[in-house]
C-alpha cells in the first residue's frame, strides 16, 4: 500500500513523505505479525509537480490569449481600413458602414462569449420541465428555419420527469446546439430533436442530416476558437460543455461525413 502524508519535523515544520507499506505474515499461522514501511521525502517532487502545473496553466492562458487576439484582430483590421477610407474620402458609404457595424458586432460577440466562459458559474438551480424549455427554444428557431426552407422536428416521450437546473443557461445550450445543426444542413434539410428519459437521467438527441464532421476534426470540437463554421468562434459549444458539466450532465457528439451529426445531452433527474 502506498500512502502520502505530512510528517512533523523536530523543528516544527512539516515534511511531505511517501511510504510504501507491506505486511509481515507468519508463514505458519498466516497471520499478520507486523508492518514494514519504506519512506522517502517527496518535497522536491511535489515542488516540481507544482511548477509543472503552473507552467501548463500559463501555456493554456497564452494559447487562449493568442486565440482571442487573433479572432479580434481580423474584424478590427476591416474596421480600421474602412474608417481610414471614410477619412480620406470625407464621405460615408452606407454599404461600407454596414460592414463596419457587422464587424463590430462580431467583436462584441467574441468578447461576450469569452466573458461568459470566464465568469464564475453559479447557476440558479430550480425545478425545470425540460420538455417545455426545449419547446420554447425550438419555437424561437423554427421561424428562422422556415425562412431558409429548413425544418425542426420535435419528438418527445410522455411523462418526462423534471430536472434541477438554471433554465436560462440550459436555453443557451439548446439554442447553440440547434443553431449549429441548422447551419450544418442544406436547404430542405431537417433537424430532429428527441427527448426521452430512463431511470436516472433525462436524455436529448439533436440529430441533423448535414455534411457531418471528419473524425480527425471531431476531437477538437468544443475547444476555444475551433469551429467547423467559416465565421464560428467555437466558444458557443465550449460554453455549452461547461454549463452541462456544472449541471452534472454530459455531452457526446457522434458524426459521419456525408450523413450528419448527433449531439446527445443527458442530465440527472431532480
Amino acid at each position: 500500500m502506498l500512502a502520502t502524508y505530512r510528517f512533523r519535523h523536530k523543528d516544527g515544520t512539516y515534511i511531505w513523505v511517501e511510504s510504501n507499506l507491506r505486511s509481515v505474515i507468519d508463514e505458519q499461522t498466516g497471520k499478520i505479525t507486523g508492518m514494514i514501511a519504506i519512506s522517502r521525502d517527496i518535497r522536491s517532487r511535489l515542488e516540481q509537480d507544482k511548477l509543472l502545473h503552473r507552467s501548463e496553466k500559463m501555456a493554456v492562458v497564452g494559447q487562449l490569449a493568442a486565440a482571442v487576439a487573433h479572432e479580434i484582430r481580423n474584424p478590427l483590421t476591416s474596421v480600421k481600413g474602412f474608417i481610414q477610407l471614410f477619412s480620406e474620402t470625407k464621405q460615408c458609404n452606407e454599404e461600407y458602414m454596414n460592414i463596419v457595424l457587422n464587424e463590430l458586432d462580431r467583436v462584441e460577440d467574441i468578447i461576450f462569449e469569452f466573458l461568459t466562459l470566464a465568469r464564475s458559474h453559479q447557476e440558479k438551480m430550480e425545478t425545470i420541465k425540460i420538455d417545455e424549455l426545449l419547446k420554447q427554444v425550438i419555437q424561437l428557431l423554427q421561424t428562422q428555419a422556415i425562412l431558409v426552407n429548413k425544418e425542426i422536428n420535435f419528438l418527445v416521450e410522455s411523462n418526462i420527469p423534471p430536472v434541477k437546473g438554471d433554465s436560462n443557461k440550459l436555453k443557451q445550450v439548446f439554442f447553440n446546439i440547434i443553431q449549429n445543426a441548422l447551419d450544418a444542413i442544406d436547404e430542405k434539410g431537417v433537424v430532429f430533436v428527441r427527448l426521452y428519459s430512463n431511470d436516472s437521467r433525462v436524455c436529448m438527441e439533436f440529430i441533423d442530416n448535414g455534411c457531418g464532421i471528419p473524425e480527425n476534426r471531431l476531437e477538437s470540437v468544443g475547444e476555444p476558437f475551433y469551429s467547423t463554421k467559416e465565421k464560428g468562434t467555437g466558444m458557443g459549444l465550449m460554453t455549452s460543455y461547461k454549463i452541462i458539466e456544472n449541471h452534472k450532465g454530459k455531452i457526446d457528439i457522434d458524426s459521419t461525413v456525408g450523413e450528419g451529426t448527433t449531439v446527445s445531452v443527458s442530465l440527472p433527474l431532480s
Side-chain angles (χ1 to χ4, degrees), residues 95-113:
E95 181 181 355
Y96 292 164
M97 180 57 71
N98 287 333
I99 294 175
V100 169
L101 292 174
N102 288 335
E103 293 296 276
L104 288 175
D105 285 341
R106 177 166 162 74
V107 171
E108 187 177 26
D109 289 342
I110 293 170
I111 293 173
F112 175 77
E113 289 174 345

Side-chain angles (χ1 to χ4, degrees), residues 106-259:
R106 177 166 162 74
V107 171
E108 187 177 26
D109 289 342
I110 293 170
I111 293 173
F112 175 77
E113 289 174 345
F114 182 71
L115 290 176
T116 300
L117 185 67
R119 195 178 295 127
S120 59
H121 295 271
Q122 295 182 348
E123 279 77 8
K124 181 183 64 177
M125 293 300 181
E126 57 187 356
T127 302
I128 299 171
K129 292 184 176 180
I130 207 74
D131 51 342
E132 294 182 2
L133 195 68
L134 260 175
K135 190 180 296 182
Q136 292 174 17
V137 176
I138 290 171
Q139 287 175 344
L140 183 65
L141 288 168
Q142 188 74 270
T143 303
Q144 175 186 333
I146 292 172
L147 290 174
V148 290
N149 202 16
K150 299 178 182 180
E151 187 179 352
I152 305 174
N153 287 339
F154 186 30
L155 310 174
V156 56
E157 288 184 356
S158 58
N159 301 321
I160 298 296
V163 300
K164 285 283 188 181
D166 186 321
S167 58
N168 289 329
K169 293 291 182 63
L170 290 176
K171 274 185 181 180
Q172 181 183 351
V173 172
F174 302 150
F175 187 94
N176 286 339
I177 294 174
I178 297 174
Q179 184 63 65
N180 285 344
L182 288 171
D183 291 341
I185 61 178
D186 296 325
E187 189 175 350
K188 297 184 179 180
V190 182
V191 175
F192 293 94
V193 180
R194 179 176 175 238
L195 173 63
Y196 62 97
S197 63
N198 55 35
D199 293 337
S200 60
R201 306 181 82 79
V202 168
C203 306
M204 291 143 279
E205 291 180 347
F206 303 85
I207 308 165
D208 69 66
N209 58 352
C211 57
I213 305 171
E215 187 176 352
N216 63 329
R217 302 184 68 181
L218 196 58
E219 297 177 356
S220 300
V221 171
E223 293 181 2
F225 302 109
Y226 181 87
S227 176
T228 56
K229 296 188 288 187
E230 182 181 353
K231 292 189 177 181
T233 64
M235 295 293 282
L237 193 54
M238 184 177 183
T239 303
S240 298
Y241 269 101
K242 189 64 177 176
I243 291 171
I244 295 300
E245 180 185 325
N246 290 339
H247 281 76
K248 311 300 181 186
K250 187 179 180 182
I251 295 181
D252 290 308
I253 301 178
D254 182 51
S255 187
T256 302
V257 175
E259 296 183 11

